[in-house]
Amino acid sequence: MNHAQDKYGHTRKVLLVLISILAVIPLAPLINRYIPPLILGDWNLDLTVSIILAGALTFLTLRLFRFLLLPAVGLLILVLIYNQLTNGYGFGNMIRDYKTMVQNNWGKKEQKEIDLVLRPTFFDGPLTKTVKSLQSKVIATDSVVRNYSVKHSLESFDEYYPKYGSQVRILSLFKHINSNFKYVSDSERDEYFATAKETIGNGLGGDCDDHTILMVTCMKAIGAHCRMILTDGHLYPELLCGDEKQFEMMQQAVIHLFGNEAIDNMYYHEQNGQYWINLDYTARYPGGPYVSETAYAIINL
C-alpha cells in the first residue's frame, strides 16, 4: 500500500513539474511584451528575466493554489489559440520571441559603421538648387500624408508597442512602404521629384528620389527625424535613432521584428554621438546595407 502511494505521489509530482514547465513556456513571452529591452554589455536580458518571473509566478501558484495551475495552463493555451486565429499574439509570436532571445545573445549581431565621405564639388549652384528642390517636396503637414502615415504605422507589430514604444510605429511604417513601393524610372529628359502625396496617389510608384521623399515625409508625419543622402545617381533616406543607447534599443527591435529577414548586420552612420540607419528601398530591413559610401550632400530637414 505504501509502495503504491509513493509511486502515485512521485507520478503526481512529475506531472506537476511538467504542467509547470508548460505554464512557463507560453507565459514568459507574454510577460516579455511588457518589459522594456534590458541590455547588459552584449547580453539582452529581458526575455531571460521574463522566464524567471514566469517561473516564480508558476512556483507561487503551485505552492499556494495548486488546484488552479492546470486550469490556468488550459486558459493560457486557449488564449494563444484565440489570438492565433484573430492575428493577435499567438504561437508564431511566441516562437519568434524565443528565437529573438537566441539571436540577440548568441547570434551574429555585428554593427558596421560606414564612413560617409562627402565628395567635394565645383558646381555648388546646381547642387544647391537640387537640395532646395528636394527639401521643398517634403510636406509632412498634408492631411493625406498624415492619415496615410498614421494608418500604416498601426498596421504591424502593434502587440509589441508596450515593449518598444514609438519605435514600433516607425518600423511598421517602414515595412509597409518598402514592401509595397515599386520602382518606376523618370523620363530620360526629366528628373522629376514627386511629393509624398503624389506617390501615395499613384500607388507607391517612382524612382529612388520619390521613395526617399515619401519615406522621410511619412516618417516626419509621425514624429520621426530623417534626412536624405544625395550620392552619385542615387538618393536614400536615413533615420535618426539617437545616441548609442537608443541605437541599441532600435537594433533590438529590428532584430526582433524583422528576424525573418535573416539579419546579419546593422549598418549605420555615427556623427557627433548620433546614430543614423539606412531606410533605402534596397534595404530589406531598417539598417540594411548601403548602396554607396560617398555623398554629394547631406540634406537635413
Side-chain angles (χ1 to χ4, degrees):
M1 183 70 178
N2 289 335
H3 177 72
Q5 287 179 340
D6 290 343
K7 187 176 181 180
Y8 171 75
H10 177 72
T11 303
R12 189 163 175 267
K13 287 179 180 178
V14 170
L15 287 175
L16 285 173
V17 169
L18 290 175
I19 293 171
S20 299
I21 293 173
L22 287 175
V24 170
I25 290 173
L27 184 59
L30 288 173
I31 294 174
N32 182 54
R33 289 171 57 192
Y34 300 94
I35 296 179
L38 302 174
I39 302 170
L40 182 62
D42 293 330
W43 293 88
N44 179 263
L45 302 177
D46 43 299
L47 189 53
T48 304
V49 171
S50 300
I51 292 173
I52 294 172
L53 290 175
L57 184 61
T58 303
F59 177 77
L60 287 174
T61 303
L62 188 62
R63 291 295 299 270
L64 301 176
F65 308 102
R66 183 173 297 182
F67 64 95
L68 290 177
L69 186 59
L70 187 57
V73 173
L75 179 62
L76 194 57
I77 292 173
L78 287 175
V79 169
L80 286 171
I81 293 173
Y82 174 79
N83 287 342
Q84 185 75 25
L85 296 175
T86 57
N87 296 320
Y89 188 92
F91 292 102
N93 301 86
M94 182 180 70
I95 293 170
R96 181 168 64 182
D97 285 350
Y98 279 111
K99 182 179 177 181
T100 298
M101 182 177 71
V102 175
Q103 286 178 324
N104 284 341
N105 290 323
W106 294 287
K108 186 179 181 183
K109 190 183 61 175
E110 297 178 5
Q111 301 170 1
K112 291 198 173 182
E113 180 176 7
I114 303 298
D115 292 327
L116 188 60
V117 180
L118 276 174
R119 181 180 295 177
T121 176
F122 299 102
F123 304 100
D124 286 339
L127 178 61
T128 301
K129 183 179 178 181
T130 299
V131 168
K132 289 183 177 179
S133 179
L134 287 167
Q135 288 174 325
S136 70
K137 297 295 182 177
V138 180
I139 309 171
T141 55
D142 182 271
S143 61
V144 172
V145 175
R146 166 66 180 172
N147 291 335
Y148 175 89
S149 303
V150 171
K151 176 183 177 181
H152 295 295
S153 72
L154 301 172
E155 191 171 72
S156 302
F157 314 131
D158 189 55
E159 64 271 23
Y160 292 100
Y161 184 82
K163 184 176 184 65
Y164 296 115
S166 60
Q167 291 177 338
V168 163
R169 307 301 184 217
I170 293 170
L171 297 178
S172 174
L173 184 55
F174 168 88
K175 179 181 178 182
H176 172 80
I177 292 175
N178 273 29
S179 296
N180 292 279
F181 186 82
K182 302 294 189 298
Y183 188 90
V184 180
S185 299
D186 285 334
S187 66
E188 293 183 3
R189 297 180 57 187
D190 181 38
E191 181 65 52
Y192 182 77
F193 301 145
T195 64
K197 183 178 181 179
E198 290 177 288
T199 303
I200 292 168
N202 70 28
L204 298 195
D207 62 4
C208 62
D209 308 322
D210 304 323
H211 171 271
T212 297
I213 293 169
L214 172 68
M215 183 68 78
V216 300
T217 305
C218 290
M219 288 295 176
K220 189 174 181 180
I222 61 168
H225 185 61
C226 292
R227 66 183 183 183
M228 298 183 280
I229 308 296
L230 180 62
T231 70
D232 187 10
H234 188 55
L235 183 74
Y236 65 87
E238 281 194 321
L239 170 72
L240 176 64
C241 296
D243 59 21
E244 184 176 5
K245 183 177 180 181
Q246 291 169 314
F247 168 69
E248 289 180 354
M249 297 276 280
M250 176 62 78
Q251 183 186 32
Q252 298 297 333
V254 170
I255 291 174
H256 190 173
L257 303 178
F258 288 81
N260 291 335
E261 297 296 333
I263 299 172
D264 291 327
N265 299 287
M266 284 283 288
Y267 293 79
Y268 66 93
H269 291 137
E270 186 271 324
Q271 290 181 314
N272 301 319
Q274 298 296 296
Y275 290 74
W276 301 80
I277 60 173
N278 182 23
L279 298 184
D280 201 355
Y281 74 91
T282 60
R284 293 181 293 110
Y285 55 90
Y290 288 100
V291 172
S292 176
E293 298 174 13
T294 60
Y296 286 119
I298 298 174
I299 306 172
N300 294 304
L301 304 171

